[in-house]
């Protein structure tokens, strides 16, 4: 299960409308490591002129699972991107990049998400992630 959904949020969903703020709060509390990584990348990106910033730390298995759940879900990823004003890219179970929106056609984004970069970011200790 990706998120710890409160009865109130479930009731919202059953009635057709889900508050973006309530959904993001659920993401923040259910996947705190993933939320923190994206928040940190966003803050770092805002403080620089760079096209993107990346987090390349090696998380614990539990933290890695949070990243996988957050970035594998279109709804969660899209909400995080909208809230933090970034475009997220994901190379493997621990390398997340935050790009300025609209730079997806640029060289940096294409290189970060390339087959070549995917291969270069593999390691035996991350084989099971």
């Amino acid at each position: 299960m990706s998120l710890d959904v409160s009865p109130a949020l479930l009731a919202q969903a059953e009635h057709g409308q889900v508050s973006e703020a309530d959904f993001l709060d659920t993401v923040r509390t259910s996947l705190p490591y993933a939320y923190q990584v994206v928040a940190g990348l966003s803050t770092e990106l805002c403080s620089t002129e760079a096209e993107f910033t990346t987090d390349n730390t090696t998380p614990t298995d539990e933290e890695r699972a949070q990243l996988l759940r957050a970035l594998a879900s279109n709804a969660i990823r899209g909400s995080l991107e909208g809230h933090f004003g970034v475009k997220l890219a994901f190379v493997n179970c621990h390398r997340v990049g935050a790009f300025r929106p609209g730079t997806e056609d640029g060289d940096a984004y294409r290189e970060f998400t390339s087959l070549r970069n995917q291969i270069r970011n593999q390691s035996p200790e991350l084989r099971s992630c």
Side-chain angles (χ1 to χ4, degrees), residues 20-21 23-25 27-29 31-47 53 70-71 75-88 96-101:
E20 183 75 23
F23 182 74
L24 278 166
D25 188 53
V27 170
R28 182 185 57 75
T29 58
L31 306 171
Y33 178 78
Y35 189 93
Q36 176 187 24
V37 167
V38 176
L41 289 171
S42 172
T43 299
E44 186 177 331
L45 187 61
C46 287
S47 69
T53 188
L71 296 171
I76 296 171
R77 177 188 268 191
S79 290
L80 289 168
E81 288 175 333
H83 179 69
F84 289 108
V86 297
K87 174 66 177 168
L88 297 172
V96 180
F99 290 77
R100 297 184 191 285

Side-chain angles (χ1 to χ4, degrees), residues 51-52 54 89-92 95-97 99 103-122:
E51 263 186 83
F52 75 102
T54 186
F90 192 48
V91 174
N92 57 26
R95 186 148 188 234
V96 180
F99 290 77
T103 63
E104 297 89 340
D105 291 330
D107 291 340
Y109 185 85
R110 285 197 310 263
E111 173 58 26
F112 190 85
T113 60
S114 71
L115 302 176
R116 177 177 168 266
N117 197 43
Q118 181 69 45
I119 296 299
R120 288 175 40 224
N121 278 277
Q122 300 306 298

